Amino acid sequence: MAGQVRDYWRNFIGGEWVDAADGRSIPIVDPASGEVISEVACGGAADIDRAVAAAHRAFESRVLLQMTPAERGELMFGIAKQLDGLADEIAEVEVHDNGKTRPNGYKEVALTQRYLRYYGGMADKLEGRQIPLGDGVVDYTVHMPFGVSAQIVPWNGPLPVGARSIACALITGNTVVLKSPEDSPLSLFLFAEACERAGVPKGALSIVCGYGAEAGAALVSHREVDHIVFTGSVETGKSVLRAAAERVIPCVMELGGKSAGIVYRDADLDRTARNVARGIFHHSGQICSAASRVLVHRSIHDVLVEKLRIEAGARSVGPGIEGCDMGPVISEKQLARIEALCRAGVQEGAKLACGGRRLDRPGYFMPPTIFTGVAPQMRIANDEFFGPVLVVIPFDTPEDAIRIANGTDYGLAAGVFTDDLRLAHWTADRLIAGQVYVNDWWVGGVETPFGGAKRSGYGREKGQEALLGYVQTKNVGIRL
């Protein structure tokens, strides 16, 4: 297995592939086996300082701003094209350092290319405006980049999540230093190879793998960082914001979720069960907008639970190389956390319809898990598992459903299942969430803005609106 992945990976800093300044490395563990399969250079404060310095020099040189917007767009198209030749290796490392199935590894490449082409096409369409101030005055606005954009991406989808923020930054003239996740960094190094081959100017992009407490902390507190993009947990997000506050650095924050799907009595239950199961069990539930809570009208509760249990039981769990439906969770630490939260649910009085403990085999495998008898105040109804665990909560009226759905600290996503269009609109209007899906889960795409409300963060990724998080408005007034 280890022979299918390169033995050692260097960081990409200032256009060069380099070892860590202090010579350290991080072991890469295959979550499907628990075995070390590779090593990556462990970036620390000195490596981050070198990367930020290169990004700062590149920004000051105006190497990106001297390109026309159309040329910056062509650069994104070039990166996407280079990924064609790297797709097989990316899919392989996604299986072995991330736990994805091989088909999902290829889908990560296709999604990444979609982001690059979408934002490449947007590069020459971000326009300012002219403001009439009367005779003798010309006044207009332009979009101005911030400078060095520090970006920290999560381990569950590092390639597309990293690519979309890199693309937004580069086409608007910012330079980037990205910290890749130590649990799953390899696909982003292959992305860096694609950028190098496509001719991204030296220093405009650096990718450094390191531990959050070292490399991440050094990056977000660096004196020459002008902008921060963070995707991750609420607790880590708070520490990022504290560092940003010291220097008044603008941030785009995409944090956790405990997203609720509301199922009304008139919903198509077969379709609902399929979509909710996909929403919570895809990638073993390791998705921030996963359908982790389902609120079901009491009259259909038992019927839907049985359909969900059947959906869960139909999914095979095992290594991605074996063609299973669900792979492992990312690490022993994450698996232990999921199991501990499951035990807490049982202690609180919730009942397991299926799952609840790891599979008895090597690797970090958690089967599809469903809790019933869940009350809104229970810990399992409020804390994010970030695993394949669904909690089912009954409700009696639409008002009850809204109160329960909005009753957590999170507000990332929500869902509505009903054949009543008026009720769907009424519910979507009252849900406090950055995106609401109706009669499906993950309705939308690259084109639709994505982000949270409440503790789930602020700012938007994806869609045209994302670009506004990477620029600031400059006004120019001229007395003729």
Side-chain angles (χ1 to χ4, degrees), residues 22 105 143 152 305 338 363 401 446 465:
D22 59 7
H143 294 295
I152 298 178
V305 167
I338 295 168
V446 168
E465 190 172 335

Side-chain angles (χ1 to χ4, degrees), residues 259-280 290-297 300 304 308 390 395 398 401 413-421 423-425 427-428 431 436-443:
S259 302
I262 297 174
V263 185
Y264 288 113
R265 70 170 78 197
D266 67 334
D268 180 327
L269 296 188
D270 288 328
R271 183 177 63 189
T272 299
R274 288 194 302 272
N275 286 320
V276 170
R278 181 173 62 89
I280 186 58
S292 52
R293 290 183 295 159
V294 60
L295 316 184
V296 188
H297 192 273
I300 58 170
L304 181 61
L308 288 167
L390 175 68
F395 71 86
V416 186
F417 296 88
T418 177
D419 283 343
D420 184 336
L421 185 58
L423 183 57
H425 281 297
T427 305
L431 285 166
V436 178
Y437 313 124
V438 179
N439 288 331
D440 201 347
W441 203 264
W442 294 313
V443 181

Side-chain angles (χ1 to χ4, degrees), residues 2-121:
Q4 299 170 5
V5 176
R6 302 181 199 179
D7 293 334
Y8 179 69
W9 303 72
R10 291 180 170 84
N11 289 313
F12 184 66
I13 299 178
E16 299 177 359
W17 295 95
V18 296
D19 296 318
D22 59 7
R24 290 185 300 159
S25 63
I26 297 173
I28 300 299
V29 175
D30 185 337
S33 66
E35 298 175 355
V36 174
I37 57 168
S38 183
E39 291 186 347
V40 60
C42 178
D47 304 281
I48 291 295
D49 191 58
R50 178 178 175 182
V52 174
H56 182 71
R57 288 193 300 270
F59 182 75
E60 290 292 307
S61 75
R62 298 178 63 87
V63 63
L64 290 172
L65 291 175
Q66 287 172 356
M67 301 168 68
T68 66
E71 288 171 336
R72 294 197 293 270
E74 290 290 342
L75 196 57
M76 300 303 106
F77 300 149
I79 300 170
K81 183 174 179 58
Q82 290 298 329
L83 287 174
D84 283 335
L86 294 166
D88 290 340
E89 188 174 7
I90 291 172
E92 198 67 29
V93 302
E94 289 283 35
V95 168
H96 292 297
D97 91 325
N98 190 278
K100 286 185 168 63
T101 63
R102 185 170 276 106
N104 284 337
Y106 281 106
K107 287 179 181 177
E108 294 288 274
V109 178
L111 178 58
T112 299
Q113 292 175 312
R114 179 79 180 97
Y115 277 122
L116 290 164
R117 289 165 180 148
Y118 178 83
Y119 287 114

Side-chain angles (χ1 to χ4, degrees), residues 463-474:
Q464 298 181 34
E465 190 172 335
L467 293 176
L468 300 179
Y470 293 78
V471 294
Q472 49 198 328
T473 299
K474 177 190 289 185

